[in-house]
Amino acid sequence: MANIILTNANIIDCTGADPRPNGWVVIEDKRIKEVGHGRKGALPAKAAVIDCHGQTLLPGLIDAHVHLASVEASIVEQQRRLLTSTLVIKTLKVMRDTLDQGFTTVRDCGGVDAGFRQAVAEGLVPGPRISVSGAAISQTGGHADWRLPSETYAPVTHPAGLSSIVADGVPAVQKAAREQLRQGVDFVKIMAGGGAASPSDELDTSQYSLEEMQAIVFEAESAGKYVSAHCYSDRGIKLCCKAGIRTIEHCNLITESSAQAMKESGAYMVPTMVTYVMISRMGKELGLPDGFVRKINEALDKAENAVAIAVKLGLKIGSGSDLLGPMQVYKGLELALQGKIMGAMNALVATTRTNAEIIRREKDLGTIEAGKLADFVLVKGDPLKDLALFQNYKDNLTLIVQEGKVYKNIL
Ligand SMILES: [Zn+2]
């Protein structure tokens, strides 16, 4: 029995095909039963019909790099100041805000554990479907070692928030990866180079030896999972490719030679351009340390060039936001920033079809095709002409459907 029929939609199915006006979609239970355009024959009885008024229907958006548990801009300070309960409750709000922005699925690259994924899957809280990495694994002094250089206590594994594990040497990183896998993560996140938020490293550094990375990849693949690495530097990217890391995040300092290594290894690049723009704009007023903002500005400076190199070499490019704390309401802006370099349709496909591949859910998500899960956003205006429309999501997203359930309808 058909549950919902969407009619009169301009469909961008995100397979890469041109938009088709006057389209319709039949949703049966959680999935897309049928998609077409032009005249639809007799409508099945007992179905709710939603007239899309010629607006543009897209698959539910996917953000392949979020930190739902980054509830404040300073992820280092939030881990010091907030109780576990506060971190969890604030994370639930970020999850709802993310769904409000049209992201029906996200990949969390460090922070939330499998319990949050389960809460959404069971319908306990509104939020995007989540692919989780649990705690990110970092070397001592690496990107997820939150201690200030002056702090000499042993690294603490936090139960919530931006959780991380500091582990050094092959046996320790194996144990750290196995621990995350034991807790049901979808992939393992490691820090393979310096980052902006961390107090003790620079962007152009690499972290972890080849042997340590290979050990983590071995553990993840043994469990049927994969590894994602945070990395900006050329040297780090090359090590990641050698180790068999499947997705490399940020990549701002990529050169043609490291891009070539990615091409050969088949790794996905996940640019996160919007976070540099927003921290550069708002970091100071949000109280972020000078060193953090300085490194972000260095990253911002190279962000467009990195995506341009990836396009030139034909890398597989996903899309992430990596926004922190209150800046997380700007997730939709990533589309416009990537679109400027890649073109609007490619940016839409990166945010849907390619991100679905990244989380290994391409059979269920990422395009509007029969058989897939019924996740949709309907937008006012033409995203191919103006990707910035995703920014004003409260007005411009008129319908959000997740797994066949209408979450928002202001048509
Ligand atoms: Zn991140």
Side-chain angles (χ1 to χ4, degrees), residues 64-67 107 109 143 189-196 203 228-233 237 247-254 262 268-276 296 299 302-307 310 317 320-324 334 338:
H65 191 126
V66 298
H67 297 286
R107 184 176 68 143
C109 283
H143 182 50
K189 171 78 186 293
I190 70 160
M191 302 308 191
L203 301 185
S228 146
H230 158 104
C231 190
Y232 285 86
S233 73
I237 293 168
T247 75
I248 309 181
E249 316 298 310
H250 321 302
C251 299
N252 296 43
L253 305 179
I254 197 168
M262 282 182 75
Y268 288 84
M269 173 178 175
V270 183
T272 58
M273 301 171 83
V274 63
T275 199
Y276 318 122
I296 281 293
K302 298 280 192 290
E304 291 190 353
N305 181 53
V307 176
I317 308 172
S321 63
D322 200 20
L323 287 159
L324 306 176
E334 181 71 22
Q338 287 199 15

Side-chain angles (χ1 to χ4, degrees), residues 124-192:
L124 300 175
V125 291
R129 176 184 297 108
I130 314 171
S131 178
V132 302
S133 68
I137 304 173
S138 168
Q139 68 173 46
T140 292
H143 182 50
D145 182 342
W146 305 132
R147 295 172 302 167
L148 299 174
S150 56
E151 293 172 329
T152 53
Y153 58 81
V156 179
T157 302
H158 291 271
L162 261 284
S163 53
S164 66
I165 302 179
V166 175
D168 299 290
V170 168
V173 298
Q174 274 177 326
K175 178 140 197 308
R178 287 173 184 170
E179 188 55 47
Q180 290 311 297
L181 293 161
R182 179 183 78 80
Q183 293 179 34
V185 298
D186 298 294
F187 65 104
V188 175
K189 171 78 186 293
I190 70 160
M191 302 308 191

Side-chain angles (χ1 to χ4, degrees), residues 240-322:
C240 287
C241 293
K242 251 189 214 155
I245 281 164
R246 183 168 169 268
T247 75
I248 309 181
E249 316 298 310
H250 321 302
C251 299
N252 296 43
L253 305 179
I254 197 168
T255 60
E256 288 208 12
S257 83
S258 49
Q260 194 57 44
M262 282 182 75
K263 176 113 191 160
E264 279 156 25
S265 78
Y268 288 84
M269 173 178 175
V270 183
T272 58
M273 301 171 83
V274 63
T275 199
Y276 318 122
V277 172
M278 296 321 300
I279 295 174
S280 179
R281 230 181 258 173
M282 298 173 66
K284 220 178 159 76
E285 73 185 72
L286 290 169
L288 294 178
D290 290 346
F292 189 156
V293 178
R294 170 186 59 79
K295 288 191 274 183
I296 281 293
N297 284 328
E298 287 170 24
L300 174 63
D301 194 45
K302 298 280 192 290
E304 291 190 353
N305 181 53
V307 176
I309 290 175
V311 170
K312 183 175 166 196
L313 269 86
L315 299 189
K316 295 184 284 187
I317 308 172
S319 176
S321 63
D322 200 20

Side-chain angles (χ1 to χ4, degrees), residues 8-28:
N8 192 19
N10 177 42
I11 297 179
I12 298 181
D13 64 14
C14 287
T15 61
D18 288 337
R20 286 187 142 185
N22 200 17
W24 45 264
V25 179
V26 179
I27 301 168
E28 194 171 79

Side-chain angles (χ1 to χ4, degrees), residues 330-354:
Y330 296 103
K331 291 188 175 93
L333 191 55
E334 181 71 22
L335 279 147
L337 293 167
Q338 287 199 15
K340 219 171 102 186
I341 314 296
M342 300 162 60
M345 182 60 97
N346 289 333
L348 285 171
V349 170
T351 314
T352 52
R353 193 183 76 184
T354 311

